[in-house]
Amino acid sequence: MCIRDSFNDLIQEKFVTFLSDGTEKELISGGRNVLVTFDKRQEYAELVEKARLAESVKQAEAIRKGLIMIVPEGLVNMLTWRELETLVCGKPILDIELLRQNTVYRFCSENDLVIEYFWRALTEFSPEERTMYLRFVWGRSRLPLTSKDFPMKHQIETLKKVTAEPDIMLPVAHTWYINSSFIV
């Protein structure tokens, strides 16, 4: 049996597609009543692709208009999407040295053993774990690109233990500023 002969036994599509919002869109006039045949399968696939790609044109245009209100249009057109993402969101991988340069210490110093352990542990974290740390202490997943772009410094402070069982105490973070508190 040839594929052409069995096509409509297997494929019962009409010339319609469903958009992301669940609405049905006719791909050709009267498409709800037109069966996709073997000979028309390529046309159907192209029409579905065109409809799906066109459904977000208005939203993409609104994003573009908003972006060029902040970034000059000529510059936007010169950048790749990755370069633009990095400029707007920061580097996807947490730069430990940049974070270290923008860290201040409270009730401790960078030479304290607990702080050295902290930096060693952060260095050994996977990129995903570093991102999770940054989310924990700052509520965001990426650092600014440069030191001058930091709205505030990353602050590490040590707290004195208030219990005889320090192992039950957890680190504390304050996401309205970049802060980590460790129990010593």
Side-chain angles (χ1 to χ4, degrees), residues 80-137:
T80 67
W81 70 267
R82 288 183 197 265
E83 293 167 330
L84 184 59
E85 177 189 32
T86 300
L87 286 173
V88 172
C89 303
K91 295 177 188 171
I93 304 295
L94 189 144
D95 181 343
I96 292 176
E97 194 50 43
L98 180 62
L99 183 62
R100 206 174 185 148
Q101 291 168 10
N102 289 280
T103 298
V104 293
Y105 302 92
R106 189 166 173 227
F107 309 124
C108 60
S109 90
E110 67 180 308
N111 299 320
D112 289 353
L113 192 56
V114 68
I115 303 304
E116 289 178 13
Y117 288 157
F118 164 77
W119 288 113
R120 185 179 317 150
L122 195 59
T123 301
E124 293 173 2
F125 280 2
S126 69
E128 293 80 21
E129 290 169 325
R130 290 178 187 176
T131 298
M132 289 177 3
Y133 168 77
L134 195 56
R135 276 198 192 119
F136 176 68
V137 299

Side-chain angles (χ1 to χ4, degrees), residues 125-165:
F125 280 2
S126 69
E128 293 80 21
E129 290 169 325
R130 290 178 187 176
T131 298
M132 289 177 3
Y133 168 77
L134 195 56
R135 276 198 192 119
F136 176 68
V137 299
W138 200 6
R140 60 185 283 178
S141 58
R142 296 183 183 194
L143 290 177
L145 286 179
T146 66
S147 291
K148 70 177 177 58
D149 297 325
F150 271 72
M152 64 202 71
K153 296 289 187 182
H154 172 235
Q155 179 176 295
I156 296 177
E157 65 181 22
T158 54
L159 303 174
K160 299 299 176 199
K161 57 186 162 192
V162 293
T163 177
E165 297 178 53

Side-chain angles (χ1 to χ4, degrees), residues 9-32:
D9 293 335
L10 301 171
I11 307 297
Q12 297 294 312
E13 294 293 323
K14 306 273 174 121
F15 272 84
V16 296
T17 191
F18 289 93
L19 302 178
S20 298
D21 65 359
T23 59
E24 184 181 70
K25 177 175 175 51
E26 283 191 325
L27 300 171
I28 59 173
S29 180
R32 283 185 187 84

